[in-house]
Amino acid sequence: MDGKLLILCDEMPGTHSDGQKEYKIRDSRFLAVPMRHPEDDVDRIFVSWDSIIPEDRAFIEQCKYYARFTEKPKDPLFGISRRGSTDPADGTLKDSVQEASYYDTFERNFNYLYRMMKSGEDWQGEAMELGVQYPLDADERFFSDLVRLVNNNGIVAILPCFSEEKEGQAITKYRRDMLEIWKNRNDMRRKSGFRRTDEYSTAQVLDFETYSDFEEILYGRSSEEIMKIYSMPIFGEPTNNSSHSGDHEER
């Protein structure tokens, strides 16, 4: 097999059934596991959008607020109050890639300022600058973390799918926009000749798909796209006349 297809969808993590056979929607933690059982090493990886970019933005907004460092977090459990999805089989702790990235950036800034304070430096001036820069730094951390997960799993194409029930909602537009920014970032770094290939991903972001019934994705579009991946001559590189979509030049 030449590579894997990542399908991002609005379904919740867990084991589902179409009436004939079962299929699994994964949590983003599945992508972070360094080793997995052979039966889980599949060519199509279905992952819930909510475990990548959460629909509930409360934790993200908390991070932005506390990252200004005008006051300490009031909730001692702030760090584990995330709102992303979770696989019911693994417990109730919620999380998402974006929330983890935002919190890790907050923690990095907090520890840096704490060291400055302990050494008697002007940490307050630095805190103001970090607070202004924080949203951009957190997004960059998120993009880097997503690159790592995609590269480590041998993913060569990403199929973003959205339920018709969520079409037109702000979170759907936001997810599409963030994935487009991530794609453009990768293209720019690749064309700029970045030597470290772990700083960008060559995975293609395909044209998005809207579905009313997830079987349309399960047996339709995702099956078509994985067959295109099978036809790639080498890992991740389509032929010149490939019909593989995803350039998004029209958008």
Side-chain angles (χ1 to χ4, degrees):
M1 181 170 56
D2 293 317
K4 292 179 170 62
L5 173 67
L6 173 64
I7 301 98
L8 300 175
C9 61
D10 282 325
E11 309 304 297
M12 285 292 98
T15 300
H16 300 254
S17 175
D18 62 2
Q20 298 181 353
K21 64 179 182 178
E22 294 184 339
Y23 61 93
K24 292 183 178 180
I25 305 296
R26 308 289 185 173
D27 192 279
S28 60
R29 286 174 293 175
F30 176 82
L31 300 175
V33 175
M35 297 182 65
R36 56 178 63 111
H37 297 295
E39 61 269 22
D40 288 330
D41 190 21
V42 293
D43 53 4
R44 293 183 299 169
I45 306 174
F46 297 91
V47 173
S48 170
W49 263 117
D50 205 50
S51 70
I52 304 293
I53 298 174
E55 182 173 1
D56 188 333
R57 311 299 294 168
F59 182 79
I60 297 289
E61 292 304 317
Q62 276 187 307
C63 286
K64 291 179 181 179
Y65 178 77
Y66 291 134
R68 294 182 296 178
F69 297 106
T70 54
E71 60 179 85
K72 295 181 180 180
K74 295 182 175 65
D75 184 357
L77 300 178
F78 161 60
I80 58 173
S81 60
R82 302 173 191 181
R83 308 299 181 93
S85 65
T86 185
D87 186 334
D90 293 333
T92 58
L93 183 65
K94 295 189 176 234
D95 200 2
S96 67
V97 177
Q98 191 181 42
E99 287 172 310
S101 301
Y102 265 65
Y103 185 73
D104 289 345
T105 304
F106 165 78
E107 280 279 275
R108 181 196 66 189
N109 290 354
F110 177 85
N111 292 332
Y112 170 67
L113 293 173
Y114 182 74
R115 290 194 299 270
M116 289 187 68
M117 182 183 67
K118 293 287 286 185
S119 61
E121 299 178 63
D122 178 21
W123 67 271
Q124 292 177 315
E126 188 72 8
M128 291 181 62
E129 185 173 339
L130 287 176
V132 172
Q133 187 66 23
Y134 173 77
L136 294 176
D137 290 342
D139 280 340
E140 178 57 29
R141 177 67 175 261
F142 167 66
F143 293 142
S144 295
D145 288 344
L146 191 56
V147 163
R148 175 177 51 80
L149 292 175
V150 167
N151 289 349
N152 288 350
N153 283 274
I155 293 165
V156 298
I158 300 173
L159 175 58
C161 303
F162 303 98
S163 168
E164 286 184 356
E165 295 179 359
K166 290 185 179 294
E167 187 64 17
Q169 294 185 14
I171 187 60
T172 296
K173 182 180 185 305
Y174 177 73
R175 286 167 173 167
R176 286 175 57 182
D177 289 348
M178 288 294 283
L179 193 58
E180 184 70 11
I181 294 170
W182 182 78
K183 171 188 176 295
N184 292 337
R185 172 188 180 274
N186 290 328
D187 291 344
M188 181 183 67
R189 293 193 169 204
R190 186 180 68 254
K191 293 174 182 177
S192 298
F194 270 60
R195 293 185 177 182
R196 290 182 52 186
T197 56
D198 62 337
E199 294 184 355
Y200 63 89
S201 171
T202 58
Q204 290 183 305
V205 177
L206 308 176
D207 292 331
F208 73 90
E209 186 83 15
T210 302
Y211 63 90
S212 58
D213 186 332
F214 193 65
E215 290 185 24
E216 300 169 20
I217 304 300
L218 190 65
Y219 298 112
R221 180 72 187 278
S222 69
S223 296
E224 295 170 5
E225 296 298 342
I226 198 64
M227 292 305 296
K228 293 176 184 178
I229 291 176
Y230 287 153
S231 69
M232 292 179 181
I234 58 175
F235 185 88
E237 292 294 336
T239 57
N240 290 334
N241 62 350
S242 171
S243 61
H244 215 294
S245 59
D247 289 341
H248 287 256
E249 292 179 354
E250 73 277 8
R251 287 201 291 274

